[in-house]
Amino acid sequence: MPLSPPSKPFPPLFALTSGWIVPQLANHSPFQRLCAQLQQGECQTLLLSGAPGSGKSQWLATLSSFLLEQGWLFVSVAATPLQPLSSGRLLMAFASLLEQQGLQTEAAMVNNGALALEERFAVLFALMQQRLACVVVLDGLETILQSANGQFLDPGMAFFWHEWQKRSPSASRLLVASRLLPAGNGETIATACLRHEQLAPGREVPQPAFQGLLAHLDAESRQALRAMTLFHYPMPVDAYRAVTKWSAESLQQLLQQLHSLAVAQPLQSSDGALCWALHPLLRQIVRTESAEEKQRPGKLLTRIGRYMCRLAAQASEQTVALPRWTVAAEAIGYFLQAVPLRRRNLFAEIMHCAEPLSEYLLQAGYYWELERLQRQLLAVGSHPRLLYRLALALLRRQQVEEAEGLLRQVCSFSEEQFGKEHALALFELAGLALQDAPEVAKERLLQALAINQRLAESSGQAVCHAHLGLWGLRQADHLFAQTHLQEALLLCRKLNDEQGITNLLPWTGELHWRVGNILAARDHFQEALQRICAGSNSDMEAQLRHRLAVMDLGEENYDAALAGFVRALQLNRASGNRRGEAVIFFQLGRLAKAKGEDFASLQFLGLSQKIGQESGDPDAGQLLILFRELAVTVLRLQRVAAQVILDGVWLSYCQDQGDSLLRQVFGEELLQEKE
């Protein structure tokens, strides 16, 4: 008869921790006090520390279960022996919660690999300050802390921890279990809203009687139990069947027996599936017995790795209880553990399993996790694809010297056998040489293009042509740029590469503008703008509207120019692009000058200078010289009067971001249109 959860099942968690829920803790006053403080906001961050076996994960899981019953939303991430906590895993968990709450736009921003981790966490903190109340659970923080000083190994997690302590989102809570204490600037962080509880081994956590436990089981059941304890998360019966090769009925009987002995616990996952947790001390006893018998579970680890690979392949990225990429990382961890225990070469199978995970980590911008994974794989076997991805991860983390050495290693492999990796490495090496050795960069790009042409890699050819065209733009070699940009655009259109077309059109428009083909430039900018608006790339949209407005200004179409500049200004403000704001105010000064408003032109020029100065723009000094020259030669102003104007426009900007100046010069209709 199939097992079912108890009459009052434990509430589902959005991501199950590896801890054991202990309902009896609710009867203890320390637990009750913590629950009350978390509910009332007296404690916003709870840090549970202690030695292994002190019950940190059990307290964390039980607190989570209690708070979930009170209606809290949850984001939960747990470390295992195979994978530590990481900023990538935390962001994935947050994205899943946002999608479930119908916040699709915010979830897309959190998943956007084009944004830095700090920007994505900033989105989350803004949400938690305004409309998202949740409990964040981190079990096993010590896995990303340096043992010597408590500093974070993962920069993204360091940012999250420090920002949480600074901002302390009043509507949310952070629950952390760690053997080590996190530190900031060499000192343990302590704030008024952080509560630190150090647990002693066995502190008020009722333990079942384990003496003689295994004597209740026959030899076959003990062997099956050893296999089942290799999982680090509560798992469904199907998972235990995959590793034990038992029938569902036999496993149900075994789990029922373990449940009666208080060492197995039925849990309901967030998608309604029934999972079974095994008591942590049971795991310890079984593994100790296995070690004493000198068992080498290489085949079992391989079997679990394959099961987890299948599970990851079947799961969608939105699955909450067992996120696809977390399962894939666990699978690779099992394979890596099995490698030294088996004679069979598992490298090809591991590479096949790791390929989609590596690509996802790269595209999602989780470079710390990508670096860690590639180094693990390289410890098993060398492959140019692993070296290339490791180099990319290091480049994104500004570790250029080691990355360049790895890229050169990739180029040392056979071009015939590993042509694709060879071309990719040449492309990245070209990027590294572009600033100081442009001719070397050009040669490497041409080599990469030749390899892609030999391999008939159309997408690779398009990328190389595009960057050769960009090289021509940088070097003012317009004929060279035109040849390659046109070829790149043609290839992208053949491939129906919408993103590639969108990226190329601003470059081709820029080229046409530089050679004086204004009509073609306008066509390319407008097509790019239509595509950009659909993709909501505000920075690029601002640049395109700026370009088109400058064209309108040159054609004396002042109304269209004004509308374009104002829209670009709005976009730059929304994205916090102060340099972009300064450029637009400079252009508004040109527009005012063209309309005969010399004084207004000087005001806009002064505002552009002040914004540039405040944001560290190196051109701000030249703008100040230009401002003073115009004040003296055009308006016949004394230097003191010019400075008064400069201070006045800056004061106006600080009050309303320049809206009053815009209203004064261009009329009330402008601001009404903006609103």
Side-chain angles (χ1 to χ4, degrees), residues 15 114 129 133 136 156 178 206 258 364 417 530 601 610 668:
Q129 292 282 13
V136 182
S178 179
L258 295 173
Q417 189 176 359
Q530 292 172 354
S601 175
K610 289 294 289 184
E668 194 72 30

Side-chain angles (χ1 to χ4, degrees), residues 334-468:
Y334 283 113
F335 279 131
L336 294 174
Q337 278 192 338
V339 166
L341 304 177
R342 300 204 62 178
R343 295 179 182 177
R344 179 181 174 182
N345 189 346
L346 298 173
F347 185 62
E349 189 172 359
I350 295 172
M351 283 285 291
H352 177 75
C353 180
E355 185 66 20
L357 175 60
S358 298
E359 190 62 28
Y360 170 76
L361 294 175
L362 178 60
Q363 296 302 322
Y366 299 141
Y367 303 122
W368 186 82
E369 294 88 338
L370 180 63
E371 177 187 347
R372 179 178 176 276
L373 176 60
Q374 303 311 300
R375 291 193 188 278
Q376 285 180 312
L377 297 174
L378 284 167
V380 178
S382 182
H383 193 284
R385 194 177 308 149
L386 301 179
L387 294 169
Y388 169 72
R389 285 207 179 104
L390 176 57
L392 285 186
L394 293 172
L395 280 175
R396 303 302 185 268
R397 300 185 63 203
Q398 307 302 316
Q399 299 178 30
V400 177
E401 186 174 347
E402 184 181 358
E404 186 172 1
L406 291 168
L407 291 170
R408 294 184 185 280
Q409 284 187 51
V410 174
C411 292
S412 68
F413 282 80
S414 167
E415 183 181 318
E416 293 295 323
Q417 189 176 359
F418 301 106
K420 185 175 181 180
E421 289 82 3
H422 201 100
L424 290 169
L426 283 169
F427 177 81
E428 295 297 333
L429 286 168
L432 293 176
L434 185 60
Q435 190 68 33
D436 298 327
E439 290 300 324
V440 174
K442 175 185 175 182
E443 184 61 30
R444 288 172 176 170
L445 285 171
L446 289 170
Q447 291 175 7
L449 176 61
I451 294 173
N452 280 303
Q453 289 172 334
R454 178 175 60 80
L455 297 174
E457 284 280 350
S458 297
S459 59
Q461 292 177 54
V463 171
C464 290
H465 277 302
H467 284 268
L468 283 165

Side-chain angles (χ1 to χ4, degrees), residues 30-238:
F31 182 88
Q32 294 170 353
R33 184 179 65 254
L34 281 177
C35 287
Q37 291 173 344
L38 288 166
Q39 280 279 72
Q40 297 165 10
E42 295 177 25
C43 172
Q44 293 175 4
T45 302
L46 174 62
L47 173 59
L48 298 173
S49 68
S54 57
K56 299 182 299 297
S57 295
Q58 297 180 47
W59 273 68
L60 207 59
T62 310
L63 279 168
S64 300
S65 178
F66 172 81
L67 292 173
L68 195 55
E69 286 181 325
Q70 308 306 309
W72 287 85
L73 298 176
F74 263 76
V75 173
S76 181
V77 184
T80 74
L82 301 181
Q83 56 177 327
L85 296 182
S86 71
S87 51
R89 293 182 63 196
L90 181 57
L91 285 169
M92 283 187 273
F94 264 113
S96 295
L97 174 62
L98 294 175
E99 287 171 355
Q100 288 213 349
Q101 297 303 307
L103 301 173
Q104 305 298 333
T105 302
E106 291 81 357
M109 293 181 69
V110 171
N111 277 326
N112 187 355
L115 297 178
L117 296 181
E118 292 80 3
E119 294 177 283
R120 291 187 253 180
F121 278 124
V123 170
L124 292 174
F125 280 114
L127 279 172
M128 286 188 285
Q129 292 282 13
Q130 298 167 3
R131 51 185 170 137
L132 181 68
C134 64
V135 177
V136 182
V137 182
L138 302 177
D139 189 6
L141 191 68
E142 75 278 353
T143 57
I144 50 170
L145 297 177
Q146 296 181 23
S147 58
N149 54 22
Q151 298 290 341
F152 282 85
L153 299 171
D154 179 350
M157 286 299 291
F159 178 84
F160 172 79
W161 174 262
H162 296 314
E163 285 299 301
W164 185 285
Q165 304 311 317
K166 290 178 185 176
R167 302 193 186 196
S168 296
S170 58
S172 295
R173 306 289 181 265
L174 176 61
L175 310 183
V176 181
S178 179
R179 299 178 190 175
L180 303 174
L181 296 180
N185 300 323
E187 297 180 359
T188 301
I189 293 179
T191 67
C193 296
L194 185 147
R195 174 73 179 271
H196 173 214
E197 287 282 332
Q198 186 169 8
L199 303 182
R203 173 183 170 179
E204 299 189 272
V205 179
Q207 306 291 359
F210 283 97
Q211 291 185 352
L213 170 66
L214 296 182
H216 292 278
L217 305 177
D218 57 34
E220 188 178 3
S221 296
R222 288 200 298 272
Q223 186 176 358
L225 190 56
R226 293 186 193 111
M228 293 162 64
T229 57
L230 291 174
F231 287 105
H232 300 117
Y233 288 99
M235 299 298 289
V237 172
D238 282 347

Side-chain angles (χ1 to χ4, degrees), residues 434-672:
L434 185 60
Q435 190 68 33
D436 298 327
E439 290 300 324
V440 174
K442 175 185 175 182
E443 184 61 30
R444 288 172 176 170
L445 285 171
L446 289 170
Q447 291 175 7
L449 176 61
I451 294 173
N452 280 303
Q453 289 172 334
R454 178 175 60 80
L455 297 174
E457 284 280 350
S458 297
S459 59
Q461 292 177 54
V463 171
C464 290
H465 277 302
H467 284 268
L468 283 165
L470 183 59
W471 183 92
L473 279 175
R474 289 172 61 98
Q475 302 301 316
D477 188 341
H478 295 149
L479 181 59
F480 185 85
Q482 183 177 11
T483 300
H484 288 284
L485 286 176
Q486 285 181 345
E487 189 64 30
L489 191 57
L490 179 63
L491 283 168
C492 285
R493 292 193 189 278
K494 285 182 178 179
L495 293 168
N496 293 319
D497 182 358
E498 296 297 325
Q499 187 61 52
I501 296 170
T502 302
N503 292 337
L504 279 169
L505 285 170
W507 294 358
T508 55
E510 180 74 18
L511 174 63
H512 286 305
W513 193 8
R514 290 189 186 185
V515 299
N517 191 349
I518 304 301
L519 184 61
R522 181 181 289 277
D523 288 342
H524 282 234
F525 285 146
Q526 286 179 335
E527 183 184 353
L529 184 59
Q530 292 172 354
R531 293 171 176 273
I532 287 293
C533 288
S536 302
N537 187 331
S538 60
D539 288 337
M540 183 57 70
E541 184 184 349
Q543 294 176 34
L544 290 170
R545 291 193 181 278
H546 169 217
R547 288 296 197 202
L548 288 167
V550 170
M551 289 182 180
D552 290 327
L553 178 59
E555 296 170 359
E556 299 185 1
N557 188 352
Y558 297 145
D559 289 341
L562 177 60
F565 286 139
V566 169
R567 178 57 182 154
L569 182 63
Q570 291 174 322
L571 292 166
N572 284 318
R573 283 179 179 175
S575 63
N577 185 350
R578 300 293 296 279
R579 179 177 172 80
E581 275 192 88
V583 170
I584 297 301
F585 278 119
F586 178 83
Q587 296 294 356
L588 287 168
R590 290 184 61 217
L591 176 59
K593 176 71 174 176
K595 297 180 71 173
E597 299 280 352
D598 289 341
F599 184 72
S601 175
L602 186 67
Q603 287 178 298
F604 281 120
L605 177 60
L607 186 52
S608 175
Q609 190 278 328
K610 289 294 289 184
I611 295 173
Q613 179 180 328
E614 291 295 320
S615 59
D617 189 340
D619 296 331
Q622 291 297 321
L623 282 178
L624 182 59
I625 294 173
L626 178 60
F627 172 85
R628 288 171 175 168
E629 287 179 352
L630 289 175
V632 172
T633 59
V634 176
L635 297 177
R636 310 297 182 184
L637 296 175
Q638 298 288 338
R639 181 162 182 168
V640 174
Q643 186 63 43
V644 170
I645 293 173
L646 197 61
D647 294 339
V649 294
W650 179 242
L651 179 61
S652 173
Y653 177 83
C654 292
Q655 291 174 342
D656 59 13
Q657 294 187 297
D659 283 350
S660 59
L661 180 58
L662 287 167
R663 184 187 295 110
Q664 172 189 334
V665 177
F666 297 113
E668 194 72 30
E669 296 80 4
L670 172 67
L671 290 186
Q672 290 176 354

